[in-house]
Amino acid sequence: MTNVVVIGSQWGDEGKGKIVDWLSERADIVVRFQGGHNAGHTLVIGEKVFKLSLLPSGVVRPGKLGVIGNGVVIDPWALVEEMERIRADGVSIDPASLVIAENAALILPVHRSLDRAREAARGDGKIGTTGRGIGPAYEDKVGRRAVRVCDLADPAMLRQRVADLLVHHNALLKGLGDEPVSAEQLVADLEEIAPKILPYAGVVWQVLDEARRAGKRILYEGAQGVMLDVDHGTYPFVTSSHTVPGQGASGSGSGPKSIGYVLGITKAYTTRVGSGPFPTEQDNEVGRLLGERGREFGTVTGRARRCGWFDAVLVRQAMRVGGVDGIALTKLDVLDGLDEIKIGIGYEIDGRRYDHLPASQALQARAEPIYETMAGWKESTYGARRWADLPATAIKYIRRIEELIDTPVALLSTSPEREDTIRVRDPFEG
């Protein structure tokens, strides 16, 4: 048996929630290793729908340990609200079922204020931030002025951390025309929330090391997608963390050898939220049809997603950067009934053909897709649980995707229901 890391292979919103939930039944521990509450996972279990942002997906299943790793930035107020909401749905959450890394950095109200103020100041140059303070919190972490979970247990250290942090942030807020933040009020707010967070604080790297030695199965759950990685994505229209599989190790205190199989969640078409390049985008009736059928609205923000054809170049790039072993192809049923389906197989930029998306923002903006057209299918693939239930043309489309991205399909999801999954290979079996 092996441990598995799950990542998105596009710009996020690939349907990771359902796949992670499907895999969590086979896991003992589910670990969040990067991002914040800007990413959402929707789980459908029977008649219940759970919408999670910070909590690991496994937390809704009895007997599983959920872990929030050091690579995550945590808004303690958002986390407490999410825990209370999930409890109201009948889920038990206690220190026996959830551990939070003591060295994880916190998102503070000042981070949200700065996030929104800077995005407003960008005008037409907005990068599409959710305004939840994720970026400023990561900046403080790298700048060595973050308030961390462990600081909540030390009043003197907490006051010192807040004072140091506000020297930086109040100067920025003043420059942007906003009011400065009161250190006394921020400390008081943190002292009030601390008792609701500290019981869950633990030494995550040690917990995971002991679990590995005991032969337990660990599922590492990523947020967003590879093309939103701060290094490997469509910079600057990216998130503020590393979304690639390697972050599963560093964002949880695990060694790189602890990850045995990399599963890339891949939508059968392409979507993205907010600003940034999107070569295969269909700002037309096709795009609207995909959005309506796929219910393409953000779990956290509610924003409509931009939709377009499958971009094999982009996904192949994610496969190679991420070292992906197999993909879980999702939302195939959204393409049902189309006469023809297009796949992006290359880009043309200034008369030159590219087999990858270049790093230059200017070149990305001028990328024109080169398409291959395939026949669609009229039959429904919704809810299919066997390859034999799929139309021949749908199988042909899947096989062509495998060829173009040079990665096999391990799982095929045909509806939001967890049982509507065709398993080709169990990732936990390597």
Side-chain angles (χ1 to χ4, degrees):
M1 299 300 175
T2 187
N3 298 324
V4 177
V5 61
V6 174
I7 52 97
S9 64
Q10 293 151 307
W11 281 296
D13 310 311
E14 300 95 348
K16 291 185 290 296
K18 173 199 165 169
I19 300 299
V20 169
D21 176 57
W22 189 87
L23 289 168
S24 69
E25 188 176 44
R26 294 156 176 78
D28 300 299
I29 301 174
V30 182
V31 184
R32 272 288 310 273
F33 58 82
Q34 51 80 215
H37 63 307
N38 54 337
H41 289 172
T42 300
L43 311 181
V44 181
I45 302 177
E47 298 298 317
K48 286 192 174 183
V49 177
F50 299 96
K51 294 189 176 183
L52 306 179
S53 295
L54 274 168
L55 292 172
S57 295
V59 79
V60 301
R61 295 202 164 274
K64 310 296 181 182
L65 176 64
V67 171
I68 299 178
N70 56 275
V72 178
V73 284
I74 301 168
D75 182 322
W77 296 275
L79 177 58
V80 168
E81 185 278 329
E82 186 174 335
M83 290 165 66
E84 291 174 349
R85 176 166 46 82
I86 297 303
R87 284 194 185 106
D89 287 331
V91 176
S92 175
I93 301 176
D94 56 40
S97 62
L98 177 67
V99 181
I100 301 172
E102 62 178 0
N103 54 337
L106 299 180
I107 300 173
L108 308 177
V110 66
H111 294 134
R112 297 194 296 270
S113 298
L114 183 60
D115 208 355
R116 290 190 291 264
R118 290 197 303 203
E119 187 76 340
R122 290 186 181 103
D124 293 338
K126 287 181 173 63
I127 60 173
T129 174
T130 60
R132 284 166 166 74
I134 312 297
Y138 273 116
E139 289 175 35
D140 279 351
K141 179 178 178 177
V142 175
R144 293 166 293 182
R145 54 181 173 265
V147 176
R148 302 190 298 172
V149 171
C150 55
D151 297 326
L152 297 176
D154 186 334
M157 178 59 71
L158 181 61
R159 286 192 291 274
Q160 183 61 53
R161 292 280 193 210
V162 167
D164 292 344
L165 180 143
L166 290 183
V167 167
H168 175 81
H169 283 288
N170 278 339
L172 288 175
L173 289 170
K174 182 179 179 181
L176 290 166
D178 273 26
E179 292 295 317
V181 172
S182 163
E184 289 184 6
Q185 185 61 55
L186 180 52
V187 169
D189 291 342
L190 285 167
E191 288 178 337
E192 181 182 6
I193 199 75
K196 299 179 180 180
I197 298 294
L198 285 173
Y200 300 90
V203 186
V204 159
W205 66 265
Q206 196 170 61
V207 170
L208 295 178
D209 181 64
E210 291 172 357
R212 284 194 302 274
R213 291 175 185 274
K216 294 189 180 296
R217 290 177 170 182
I218 304 173
L219 179 62
Y220 297 86
E221 174 186 12
Q224 291 102 18
V226 171
M227 286 300 139
L228 290 174
D229 185 272
V230 69
D231 277 342
H232 301 289
T234 48
Y235 191 91
F237 305 100
V238 293
T239 193
S240 301
S241 62
H242 290 293
T243 60
V244 292
Q247 181 66 17
S250 59
S252 62
S254 305
K257 291 183 180 179
S258 65
I259 297 171
Y261 189 94
V262 179
L263 181 68
I265 315 301
T266 307
K267 195 178 287 185
Y269 50 101
T270 311
T271 64
R272 85 170 296 173
V273 173
S275 306
F278 186 170
T280 63
E281 181 175 12
Q282 297 298 296
D283 188 13
N284 51 31
E285 189 57 37
V286 170
R288 287 187 287 276
L289 180 66
L290 294 174
E292 290 169 6
R293 286 187 179 179
R295 299 178 184 178
E296 298 295 351
F297 297 92
T299 299
V300 171
T301 64
R303 289 186 293 183
R305 298 172 186 144
R306 299 155 62 191
C307 300
W309 297 118
F310 186 84
D311 189 333
V313 183
L314 197 79
V315 175
R316 182 174 64 240
Q317 191 164 323
M319 298 295 104
R320 293 177 179 174
V321 167
V324 177
D325 295 297
I327 67 168
L329 190 65
T330 66
K331 291 198 170 184
L332 181 70
D333 57 288
V334 174
L335 302 177
D336 291 353
L338 295 178
D339 293 326
E340 62 178 31
I341 300 170
K342 294 184 178 181
I343 302 176
I345 59 170
Y347 307 121
E348 184 174 303
I349 306 173
D350 302 333
R352 174 185 167 189
R353 180 163 179 160
Y354 284 75
D355 63 357
H356 70 283
L357 190 63
S360 164
Q361 182 181 348
L363 291 179
Q364 289 176 359
R366 296 199 298 275
E368 294 293 333
I370 299 169
Y371 286 119
E372 178 179 300
T373 302
M374 300 187 67
W377 54 90
K378 296 301 181 183
E379 304 93 326
S380 173
T381 63
Y382 188 89
R385 298 184 181 181
R386 303 177 305 158
W387 282 106
D389 297 333
L390 298 173
T393 43
I395 294 175
K396 186 177 181 181
Y397 178 71
I398 295 166
R399 295 306 185 206
R400 184 58 178 147
I401 284 175
E402 289 180 315
E403 291 174 355
L404 290 168
I405 67 173
D406 195 26
T407 308
V409 169
L411 301 170
L412 179 66
S413 171
T414 57
S415 92
E417 297 293 333
R418 65 186 305 278
E419 297 304 326
D420 293 338
T421 305
I422 299 172
R423 181 175 69 179
V424 181
R425 184 175 186 178
D426 187 337
F428 278 115
E429 295 178 0

